[in-house]
Amino acid sequence: MNDQEPSGEPRRRHRRDPEGHRAAILEAARHTFAERGYARTTLREIARRAGVTHGLISRHFSSKERLFLAAVPGNRDLEQVAAGDPATLPERIAHGFVQRMETDAVNDPLVALVRSAASDERAAAHLLVAMQERSLTVYRSVLSPDVPGDDLDARVALLGAQLIGVTFSRYIARTEPLASMSPDELTAHLARTLRHILFD
């Protein structure tokens, strides 16, 4: 008697292995988001691929938005980009953003955000809120003493809006003059703009 799972169905993980489960969920999420896009991906599909229950994903990540941000490049690397001298944070953000987008824009969370807005505004709004909350937490730990006034929330929102705009113009719509700028030139322009948003 054959007790194997049907072909194509991942074997359900029964043993207690929180780190193994988390790794399997993240791996399945990366592949599923890449194949189906953010808006069309469901937690049930990720659970099936990871061989875990839907409830286990919710216990580890609480929401689809948080799983997405943990699984894909970009937002998950935010702490590394932010770490360092606050005075040079705009340059680190600009360099990290351009380098990431030039390497793998198609799988970037900002591209997923812009594209999902066209088909599912509610999903895009939830993702944007999750991204802003995460960014604010990270930037607050670095910037709070250095940002004038009590408007860090507004500044982080404006910073995000700037990156979303560049994402759409250069990497989706490919409009000039941003589309033909060299990465170094784009980085320099973006760093100046982000410095103005964060510190002026």
Side-chain angles (χ1 to χ4, degrees), residues 49-71:
R49 292 189 180 199
V52 301
T53 65
H54 178 277
L56 188 62
I57 293 181
S58 296
R59 284 200 294 276
H60 275 284
F61 298 99
S62 78
S63 69
K64 176 181 170 180
E65 295 81 25
R66 294 189 182 282
L67 172 57
F68 180 78
L69 297 181

Side-chain angles (χ1 to χ4, degrees), residues 7-194:
S7 178
E9 290 293 324
R11 181 181 292 278
R12 186 62 58 85
R13 298 165 184 264
H14 293 293
R15 59 193 176 87
R16 292 182 179 275
D17 180 14
E19 288 307 310
H21 288 151
R22 182 181 176 86
I25 292 167
L26 288 171
E27 182 69 14
R30 276 191 286 272
H31 288 295
T32 310
F33 283 125
E35 291 171 15
R36 300 174 62 86
Y38 175 76
R40 293 176 57 237
T41 293
T42 66
L43 292 184
R44 293 193 183 282
E45 172 64 12
I46 294 172
R48 185 192 69 78
R49 292 189 180 199
V52 301
T53 65
H54 178 277
L56 188 62
I57 293 181
S58 296
R59 284 200 294 276
H60 275 284
F61 298 99
S62 78
S63 69
K64 176 181 170 180
E65 295 81 25
R66 294 189 182 282
L67 172 57
F68 180 78
L69 297 181
V72 299
N75 211 266
R76 74 179 186 203
D77 303 326
L78 198 55
E79 288 91 345
Q80 291 175 276
V81 171
D85 185 354
T88 57
L89 180 61
E91 287 74 22
R92 294 198 303 278
I93 296 172
H95 179 266
F97 168 80
V98 173
Q99 184 178 55
R100 192 179 81 229
M101 297 295 281
E102 294 293 318
T103 302
D104 189 22
V106 69
N107 292 316
D108 195 86
L110 288 174
V111 172
L113 173 66
V114 173
R115 287 182 170 156
S116 64
S119 59
D120 190 336
E121 291 181 8
R122 184 177 178 186
H126 285 306
L127 179 56
L128 178 58
V129 168
M131 291 173 72
Q132 286 179 331
E133 288 175 350
R134 178 164 164 72
S135 297
L136 187 58
T137 298
V138 173
Y139 293 142
R140 183 177 282 131
S141 68
V142 177
L143 287 175
S144 288
D146 299 281
V147 174
D150 298 319
D151 59 352
L152 182 58
D153 289 28
R155 290 173 184 263
V156 169
L158 287 167
L159 185 152
Q162 178 69 31
L163 297 182
I164 290 168
V166 174
T167 296
F168 181 76
S169 296
R170 180 176 173 92
Y171 299 102
I172 297 178
R174 302 187 186 282
T175 57
E176 297 296 346
L178 295 187
S180 58
M181 274 187 188
S182 71
D184 287 346
E185 187 179 7
L186 177 62
T187 299
H189 281 300
L190 188 56
R192 285 195 294 271
T193 302
L194 298 185

